[in-house]
Amino acid sequence: MDERGGSFVAVRRISQSLDRGNTCHSTSAEVVAGSAAWLGRGLSCVCAQRRESDPRPSFDLTPAQEECLQRLQNRIDVAYDSSIPEHKEALRALWNVAFPEEELCGLISEQWKEMGWQGKDPSTDFRGGGFISLENLLFFARNFPKSFQDLLWKQEGDRSVWEYPFAVAGVNITFMLIQMLDLEAVKPRTKVGATFLRFLSENESAFDLLYCITFKLMDHQWLEMRASYMDFNTVMKSTRRQLEGELLLDDITRLEELPSYSLLT
């Protein structure tokens, strides 16, 4: 298993009639956004499953693309560090945008389980995606608040009794995109990666936008497949195949033209 990987917690869905009073008391280990009842650790984290690959050809980049790729790689290289004020402020900002009517009592708190983190300290889950995975969640919440809240509370579709935890799934998506787009290589070694860099050179937020599209697509696939917790990795693989196919469509000139972009609201 990759050292940045981790376990995956399945959770049971509950009603949204949950009392969300403004309290600083521990919220019970069973309270998770749109879900409840800790099931157990043991499902492998899909982000930890690196694909072995044979040597692949690399694609030449323009100077502008090289610069954009380097900036994105610099973001990817930043680990979440709870001693850095900017990181702590971003984590608190995520809580505020997710639960604007509920005060967060501390960056280490049982309240975080409401969002779908595995424990009371979200920083332990960021090892799978680094600080950029927190930035991705914040970008999603700020730019597509309705879609963010719909996924956070599992408001759409006929949901499974046992649902995926929202936040941990988000970290998985960040890591999956990094691997799919081959963003840690000096040059892209797949057509999908090369295509994405064309979008990135035209839109500095392309990775964050693609993250939002992917999260919504993953949930759409989850509902289409009538998936439950044991199907998470299968859903992620299906999401990746769908996304790769859309990125390679001939008539796509920007990410907003991807078919799955229409899922965002």
Side-chain angles (χ1 to χ4, degrees), residues 36 47 57 65 70 91-92 95 121 124 132 147 149 161 163 210 241-242 255 260:
C47 66
Q65 290 173 334
Q70 185 60 60
L91 186 57
R92 189 176 296 276
W95 176 271
D121 183 3
T124 61
I132 193 172
S147 288
Q149 290 291 333
V161 173
E163 279 287 326
L210 186 60
R241 287 193 299 270
Q242 176 69 23
L255 291 177
S260 291

PDB file of all heavy atoms in Angstrom, residues 36 47 57 65 70 91-92 95 121 124 132 147 149 161 163 210 241-242 255 260:
ATOM      1  N   ALA A  36     -24.579   7.663   9.346  1.00  0.00           N
ATOM      2  CA  ALA A  36     -24.252   7.396  10.741  1.00  0.00           C
ATOM      3  C   ALA A  36     -23.875   5.950  10.942  1.00  0.00           C
ATOM      4  O   ALA A  36     -23.972   5.133  10.049  1.00  0.00           O
ATOM      5  CB  ALA A  36     -25.443   7.741  11.635  1.00  0.00           C
ATOM      6  N   CYS A  47      -7.397   5.532  -3.179  1.00  0.00           N
ATOM      7  CA  CYS A  47      -6.297   6.424  -3.511  1.00  0.00           C
ATOM      8  C   CYS A  47      -4.963   5.743  -3.291  1.00  0.00           C
ATOM      9  O   CYS A  47      -3.941   6.188  -3.809  1.00  0.00           O
ATOM     10  CB  CYS A  47      -6.358   7.702  -2.667  1.00  0.00           C
ATOM     11  SG  CYS A  47      -6.093   7.445  -0.914  1.00  0.00           S
ATOM     12  N   PRO A  57       5.298   6.810 -23.591  1.00  0.00           N
ATOM     13  CA  PRO A  57       5.867   7.982 -24.256  1.00  0.00           C
ATOM     14  C   PRO A  57       5.476   9.249 -23.520  1.00  0.00           C
ATOM     15  O   PRO A  57       4.428   9.312 -22.882  1.00  0.00           O
ATOM     16  CB  PRO A  57       5.234   7.931 -25.651  1.00  0.00           C
ATOM     17  CG  PRO A  57       3.955   7.185 -25.455  1.00  0.00           C
ATOM     18  CD  PRO A  57       4.246   6.163 -24.389  1.00  0.00           C
ATOM     19  N   GLN A  65       2.685  25.693 -20.592  1.00  0.00           N
ATOM     20  CA  GLN A  65       2.187  24.480 -19.967  1.00  0.00           C
ATOM     21  C   GLN A  65       3.151  23.972 -18.905  1.00  0.00           C
ATOM     22  O   GLN A  65       2.727  23.494 -17.848  1.00  0.00           O
ATOM     23  CB  GLN A  65       1.936  23.412 -21.030  1.00  0.00           C
ATOM     24  CG  GLN A  65       0.751  23.701 -21.938  1.00  0.00           C
ATOM     25  CD  GLN A  65       0.636  22.717 -23.077  1.00  0.00           C
ATOM     26  OE1 GLN A  65       1.618  22.111 -23.511  1.00  0.00           O
ATOM     27  NE2 GLN A  65      -0.578  22.557 -23.594  1.00  0.00           N
ATOM     28  N   GLN A  70       4.265  23.052 -13.259  1.00  0.00           N
ATOM     29  CA  GLN A  70       5.141  23.216 -12.107  1.00  0.00           C
ATOM     30  C   GLN A  70       4.398  23.835 -10.929  1.00  0.00           C
ATOM     31  O   GLN A  70       4.566  23.412  -9.775  1.00  0.00           O
ATOM     32  CB  GLN A  70       6.348  24.075 -12.477  1.00  0.00           C
ATOM     33  CG  GLN A  70       7.381  24.210 -11.359  1.00  0.00           C
ATOM     34  CD  GLN A  70       7.948  22.865 -10.946  1.00  0.00           C
ATOM     35  OE1 GLN A  70       8.540  22.159 -11.748  1.00  0.00           O
ATOM     36  NE2 GLN A  70       7.757  22.504  -9.683  1.00  0.00           N
ATOM     37  N   LEU A  91      -8.762  24.945   7.149  1.00  0.00           N
ATOM     38  CA  LEU A  91      -9.587  23.878   7.722  1.00  0.00           C
ATOM     39  C   LEU A  91     -10.800  24.456   8.442  1.00  0.00           C
ATOM     40  O   LEU A  91     -11.920  23.960   8.300  1.00  0.00           O
ATOM     41  CB  LEU A  91      -8.741  23.037   8.687  1.00  0.00           C
ATOM     42  CG  LEU A  91      -9.412  21.786   9.276  1.00  0.00           C
ATOM     43  CD1 LEU A  91      -9.886  20.861   8.167  1.00  0.00           C
ATOM     44  CD2 LEU A  91      -8.440  21.055  10.205  1.00  0.00           C
ATOM     45  N   ARG A  92     -10.568  25.521   9.181  1.00  0.00           N
ATOM     46  CA  ARG A  92     -11.693  26.167   9.856  1.00  0.00           C
ATOM     47  C   ARG A  92     -12.672  26.768   8.838  1.00  0.00           C
ATOM     48  O   ARG A  92     -13.893  26.715   9.020  1.00  0.00           O
ATOM     49  CB  ARG A  92     -11.184  27.247  10.811  1.00  0.00           C
ATOM     50  CG  ARG A  92     -12.266  27.821  11.726  1.00  0.00           C
ATOM     51  CD  ARG A  92     -11.674  28.812  12.712  1.00  0.00           C
ATOM     52  NE  ARG A  92     -10.727  28.190  13.632  1.00  0.00           N
ATOM     53  CZ  ARG A  92     -11.097  27.558  14.749  1.00  0.00           C
ATOM     54  NH1 ARG A  92     -12.376  27.477  15.062  1.00  0.00           N
ATOM     55  NH2 ARG A  92     -10.192  27.022  15.521  1.00  0.00           N
ATOM     56  N   TRP A  95     -15.046  24.149   7.576  1.00  0.00           N
ATOM     57  CA  TRP A  95     -16.152  23.899   8.494  1.00  0.00           C
ATOM     58  C   TRP A  95     -17.220  24.994   8.377  1.00  0.00           C
ATOM     59  O   TRP A  95     -18.406  24.710   8.295  1.00  0.00           O
ATOM     60  CB  TRP A  95     -15.658  23.825   9.943  1.00  0.00           C
ATOM     61  CG  TRP A  95     -16.801  23.671  10.907  1.00  0.00           C
ATOM     62  CD1 TRP A  95     -17.530  24.658  11.510  1.00  0.00           C
ATOM     63  CD2 TRP A  95     -17.412  22.431  11.292  1.00  0.00           C
ATOM     64  NE1 TRP A  95     -18.541  24.121  12.264  1.00  0.00           N
ATOM     65  CE2 TRP A  95     -18.489  22.763  12.150  1.00  0.00           C
ATOM     66  CE3 TRP A  95     -17.141  21.103  11.013  1.00  0.00           C
ATOM     67  CZ2 TRP A  95     -19.295  21.783  12.732  1.00  0.00           C
ATOM     68  CZ3 TRP A  95     -17.947  20.128  11.589  1.00  0.00           C
ATOM     69  CH2 TRP A  95     -19.012  20.472  12.436  1.00  0.00           C
ATOM     70  N   ASP A 121      -9.736  14.323  14.253  1.00  0.00           N
ATOM     71  CA  ASP A 121      -8.663  15.152  13.719  1.00  0.00           C
ATOM     72  C   ASP A 121      -8.548  14.930  12.212  1.00  0.00           C
ATOM     73  O   ASP A 121      -7.942  13.965  11.757  1.00  0.00           O
ATOM     74  CB  ASP A 121      -7.340  14.811  14.407  1.00  0.00           C
ATOM     75  CG  ASP A 121      -6.188  15.694  13.946  1.00  0.00           C
ATOM     76  OD1 ASP A 121      -6.435  16.606  13.133  1.00  0.00           O
ATOM     77  OD2 ASP A 121      -5.056  15.471  14.408  1.00  0.00           O
ATOM     78  N   THR A 124      -5.322  13.744   9.999  1.00  0.00           N
ATOM     79  CA  THR A 124      -4.851  12.368   9.820  1.00  0.00           C
ATOM     80  C   THR A 124      -5.347  11.772   8.517  1.00  0.00           C
ATOM     81  O   THR A 124      -4.778  10.802   8.027  1.00  0.00           O
ATOM     82  CB  THR A 124      -5.304  11.481  10.996  1.00  0.00           C
ATOM     83  OG1 THR A 124      -6.740  11.453  11.042  1.00  0.00           O
ATOM     84  CG2 THR A 124      -4.780  12.019  12.326  1.00  0.00           C
ATOM     85  N   ILE A 132      -3.647  20.118  -0.835  1.00  0.00           N
ATOM     86  CA  ILE A 132      -4.458  20.403  -2.019  1.00  0.00           C
ATOM     87  C   ILE A 132      -5.838  19.757  -1.919  1.00  0.00           C
ATOM     88  O   ILE A 132      -6.815  20.277  -2.470  1.00  0.00           O
ATOM     89  CB  ILE A 132      -3.737  19.951  -3.312  1.00  0.00           C
ATOM     90  CG1 ILE A 132      -4.433  20.538  -4.542  1.00  0.00           C
ATOM     91  CG2 ILE A 132      -3.624  18.433  -3.398  1.00  0.00           C
ATOM     92  CD1 ILE A 132      -3.687  20.296  -5.843  1.00  0.00           C
ATOM     93  N   SER A 147     -24.313  21.950  -5.024  1.00  0.00           N
ATOM     94  CA  SER A 147     -23.823  20.593  -5.266  1.00  0.00           C
ATOM     95  C   SER A 147     -23.042  20.082  -4.063  1.00  0.00           C
ATOM     96  O   SER A 147     -23.151  18.910  -3.681  1.00  0.00           O
ATOM     97  CB  SER A 147     -22.926  20.563  -6.513  1.00  0.00           C
ATOM     98  OG  SER A 147     -23.696  20.712  -7.687  1.00  0.00           O
ATOM     99  N   GLN A 149     -23.425  20.906  -0.868  1.00  0.00           N
ATOM    100  CA  GLN A 149     -24.345  20.551   0.212  1.00  0.00           C
ATOM    101  C   GLN A 149     -25.163  19.307  -0.133  1.00  0.00           C
ATOM    102  O   GLN A 149     -25.444  18.479   0.735  1.00  0.00           O
ATOM    103  CB  GLN A 149     -25.266  21.735   0.518  1.00  0.00           C
ATOM    104  CG  GLN A 149     -24.576  22.912   1.181  1.00  0.00           C
ATOM    105  CD  GLN A 149     -24.136  22.618   2.607  1.00  0.00           C
ATOM    106  OE1 GLN A 149     -24.724  21.782   3.294  1.00  0.00           O
ATOM    107  NE2 GLN A 149     -23.088  23.303   3.050  1.00  0.00           N
ATOM    108  N   VAL A 161     -28.314   2.195   2.208  1.00  0.00           N
ATOM    109  CA  VAL A 161     -28.343   2.221   3.667  1.00  0.00           C
ATOM    110  C   VAL A 161     -26.952   2.551   4.197  1.00  0.00           C
ATOM    111  O   VAL A 161     -26.790   3.326   5.138  1.00  0.00           O
ATOM    112  CB  VAL A 161     -28.826   0.865   4.228  1.00  0.00           C
ATOM    113  CG1 VAL A 161     -28.702   0.835   5.744  1.00  0.00           C
ATOM    114  CG2 VAL A 161     -30.275   0.606   3.814  1.00  0.00           C
ATOM    115  N   GLU A 163     -23.611   4.328   3.290  1.00  0.00           N
ATOM    116  CA  GLU A 163     -23.107   5.339   2.362  1.00  0.00           C
ATOM    117  C   GLU A 163     -21.607   5.575   2.546  1.00  0.00           C
ATOM    118  O   GLU A 163     -21.032   5.258   3.583  1.00  0.00           O
ATOM    119  CB  GLU A 163     -23.848   6.656   2.579  1.00  0.00           C
ATOM    120  CG  GLU A 163     -25.203   6.702   1.892  1.00  0.00           C
ATOM    121  CD  GLU A 163     -25.078   6.841   0.383  1.00  0.00           C
ATOM    122  OE1 GLU A 163     -24.138   7.501  -0.101  1.00  0.00           O
ATOM    123  OE2 GLU A 163     -25.938   6.279  -0.321  1.00  0.00           O
ATOM    124  N   LEU A 210     -12.017  20.386 -12.215  1.00  0.00           N
ATOM    125  CA  LEU A 210     -12.155  18.985 -12.576  1.00  0.00           C
ATOM    126  C   LEU A 210     -12.476  18.147 -11.343  1.00  0.00           C
ATOM    127  O   LEU A 210     -13.229  17.179 -11.429  1.00  0.00           O
ATOM    128  CB  LEU A 210     -10.874  18.476 -13.235  1.00  0.00           C
ATOM    129  CG  LEU A 210     -10.930  17.052 -13.804  1.00  0.00           C
ATOM    130  CD1 LEU A 210     -12.011  16.933 -14.884  1.00  0.00           C
ATOM    131  CD2 LEU A 210      -9.577  16.638 -14.364  1.00  0.00           C
ATOM    132  N   ARG A 241     -12.873   5.839 -15.569  1.00  0.00           N
ATOM    133  CA  ARG A 241     -13.038   5.471 -16.989  1.00  0.00           C
ATOM    134  C   ARG A 241     -13.927   6.480 -17.707  1.00  0.00           C
ATOM    135  O   ARG A 241     -13.635   6.899 -18.832  1.00  0.00           O
ATOM    136  CB  ARG A 241     -13.612   4.058 -17.106  1.00  0.00           C
ATOM    137  CG  ARG A 241     -12.633   2.944 -16.761  1.00  0.00           C
ATOM    138  CD  ARG A 241     -13.179   1.600 -17.195  1.00  0.00           C
ATOM    139  NE  ARG A 241     -14.427   1.260 -16.534  1.00  0.00           N
ATOM    140  CZ  ARG A 241     -14.506   0.586 -15.379  1.00  0.00           C
ATOM    141  NH1 ARG A 241     -13.390   0.200 -14.764  1.00  0.00           N
ATOM    142  NH2 ARG A 241     -15.673   0.315 -14.853  1.00  0.00           N
ATOM    143  N   GLN A 242     -15.026   6.860 -17.064  1.00  0.00           N
ATOM    144  CA  GLN A 242     -15.944   7.827 -17.661  1.00  0.00           C
ATOM    145  C   GLN A 242     -15.251   9.178 -17.878  1.00  0.00           C
ATOM    146  O   GLN A 242     -15.381   9.803 -18.945  1.00  0.00           O
ATOM    147  CB  GLN A 242     -17.170   8.008 -16.761  1.00  0.00           C
ATOM    148  CG  GLN A 242     -18.168   9.060 -17.229  1.00  0.00           C
ATOM    149  CD  GLN A 242     -18.914   8.665 -18.486  1.00  0.00           C
ATOM    150  OE1 GLN A 242     -19.023   7.483 -18.797  1.00  0.00           O
ATOM    151  NE2 GLN A 242     -19.426   9.654 -19.211  1.00  0.00           N
ATOM    152  N   LEU A 255     -13.122  22.614 -19.901  1.00  0.00           N
ATOM    153  CA  LEU A 255     -13.733  21.664 -18.977  1.00  0.00           C
ATOM    154  C   LEU A 255     -15.241  21.865 -18.847  1.00  0.00           C
ATOM    155  O   LEU A 255     -15.976  20.899 -18.606  1.00  0.00           O
ATOM    156  CB  LEU A 255     -13.073  21.781 -17.595  1.00  0.00           C
ATOM    157  CG  LEU A 255     -11.630  21.297 -17.496  1.00  0.00           C
ATOM    158  CD1 LEU A 255     -11.084  21.544 -16.094  1.00  0.00           C
ATOM    159  CD2 LEU A 255     -11.529  19.811 -17.855  1.00  0.00           C
ATOM    160  N   SER A 260     -20.211  15.697 -18.127  1.00  0.00           N
ATOM    161  CA  SER A 260     -20.487  15.596 -16.693  1.00  0.00           C
ATOM    162  C   SER A 260     -20.507  16.931 -15.983  1.00  0.00           C
ATOM    163  O   SER A 260     -20.948  17.019 -14.831  1.00  0.00           O
ATOM    164  CB  SER A 260     -19.455  14.663 -16.025  1.00  0.00           C
ATOM    165  OG  SER A 260     -19.644  13.331 -16.441  1.00  0.00           O
TER     166      SER A 260
END
